[in-house]
Amino acid sequence: MKKILLSLVSIGLLFGCKTEKDNSNEKSEGLPKAETEAVKNSEEDWIYLLDGKNADGWRAYNGEAGLPEGWVVENESLKALGKGGDIGGDIIYGKEKYGEFELYLEWKIAPEGNSGIFYHVVEGEQYEAPYFNAPEYQVIDQLGFPRRLEELNSLGADYGMYAPDYKEEDIKKAGEWNTTRIIFTNDKVSYWLNGQKTVEFVPWSDDWEKRKSEGKWKEFPDYGKAREGFIGLQDHGSEVWYRNIKIKKL
């Protein structure tokens, strides 16, 4: 009888383990390849920067605690009201700095809108805005923007440095939700839009240094130098919504 009971327990454990594994596989079924990485990792690995109820941890760049007047929490999203510009209006998550990371968020933008996602943001009186030193993932109404967009200024670009590469069907109209993923390591950086890779580059490489010295950032000596910093969001004078913001240290 004792042997029979042991056998039954072993069989139960075997089927229990198989069921758990099968459920895990079901979670990633039907997702684009770029999205399955989030499924493979435990939810506990992610740090949520926005819980959808309040903006705890978010504040004005170079500012005090609390959201500036140009930002509100609306329908579980951080919403920019479009009161910012080239200088002023941007916010950062000021609780922690991040070096190597994977950042995921969802966003939508108003027609003709322009915004951006910053990382490795450094504060200081010498910096009037995050873009003085921080790389930017370009967020913009690619289909409806009123002026011609250069490749380095297009949706999903490493703004002013690396042009995006994607199919036209990956671009959604203004007002529709998009997913963005930024994966930053000291060896390689990749940007993703709606499950498709838009940009890949090696930070601080000879190619990176050449692009910086000859392009838009040649007059910004501290651009991209920091190896860690804050996450930031841009208010560039148009309404934009960000939600489900989470980050994972690598």
Side-chain angles (χ1 to χ4, degrees):
M1 180 63 72
K2 190 172 185 181
K3 289 182 178 181
I4 294 173
L5 288 173
L6 287 173
S7 298
L8 289 173
V9 170
S10 299
I11 292 170
L13 289 173
L14 176 62
F15 279 97
C17 293
K18 186 177 187 300
T19 301
E20 184 177 350
K21 184 177 180 181
D22 288 346
N23 289 340
S24 177
N25 289 335
E26 287 172 5
K27 289 181 181 179
S28 60
E29 185 178 352
L31 291 176
K33 287 183 179 179
E35 302 295 329
T36 58
E37 291 305 312
V39 176
K40 291 178 183 178
N41 294 284
S42 171
E43 189 67 21
E44 285 77 16
D45 292 337
W46 292 97
I47 302 166
Y48 278 81
L49 307 188
L50 180 68
D51 65 5
K53 298 177 182 178
N54 61 63
D56 184 36
W58 292 91
R59 60 176 173 79
Y61 176 70
N62 278 337
E64 301 297 329
L67 284 179
E69 63 177 8
W71 288 82
V72 297
V73 177
E74 178 183 283
N75 296 328
E76 299 187 347
S77 303
L78 268 176
K79 178 185 178 181
L81 301 178
K83 297 183 178 182
D86 280 340
I87 304 295
D90 303 333
I91 61 173
I92 63 167
Y93 183 77
K95 279 190 172 183
E96 188 170 358
K97 298 178 181 179
Y98 298 94
E100 295 182 292
F101 63 85
E102 179 176 353
L103 175 70
Y104 173 89
L105 49 75
E106 298 163 5
W107 60 269
K108 66 178 180 178
I109 197 162
E112 303 184 1
N114 185 4
S115 183
I117 304 162
F118 298 110
Y119 58 90
H120 290 178
V121 177
V122 177
E123 292 184 292
E125 293 181 357
Q126 69 273 39
Y127 306 124
E128 297 181 62
Y131 68 78
F132 276 54
N133 57 65
E136 176 187 350
Y137 178 113
Q138 173 73 318
V139 170
I140 201 162
D141 177 14
Q142 186 74 20
L143 300 177
F145 200 69
R147 297 188 300 277
R148 180 179 178 273
L149 290 169
E150 301 293 337
E151 286 189 338
L152 293 179
N153 302 342
S154 294
L155 174 62
D158 183 41
Y159 186 80
M161 289 286 281
Y162 290 91
D165 179 23
Y166 44 64
K167 299 174 183 177
E168 188 171 338
E169 54 262 35
D170 296 331
I171 305 175
K172 296 186 178 183
K173 295 179 181 179
E176 296 183 4
W177 286 103
N178 299 265
T179 64
T180 281
R181 178 173 276 109
I182 301 172
I183 303 174
F184 188 99
T185 72
N186 294 335
D187 299 318
K188 185 173 69 176
V189 183
S190 60
Y191 292 178
W192 301 78
L193 172 69
N194 298 326
Q196 300 299 317
K197 186 190 296 182
T198 64
V199 162
E200 185 173 278
F201 61 92
V202 178
W204 312 299
S205 62
D206 291 342
D207 177 67
W208 186 93
E209 293 288 356
K210 185 174 186 294
R211 289 169 183 260
K212 176 184 173 180
S213 64
E214 296 178 356
K216 180 179 179 66
W217 308 114
K218 61 184 178 182
E219 304 299 330
F220 294 80
D222 291 338
Y223 170 84
K225 286 178 63 177
R227 305 250 168 167
E228 68 170 15
F230 299 112
I231 301 297
L233 301 174
Q234 185 182 52
D235 178 354
H236 205 278
S238 54
E239 291 184 335
V240 61
W241 294 256
Y242 293 96
R243 72 181 184 188
N244 198 20
I245 307 171
K246 59 184 180 180
I247 196 166
K248 178 171 54 183
K249 297 178 181 179
L250 300 178

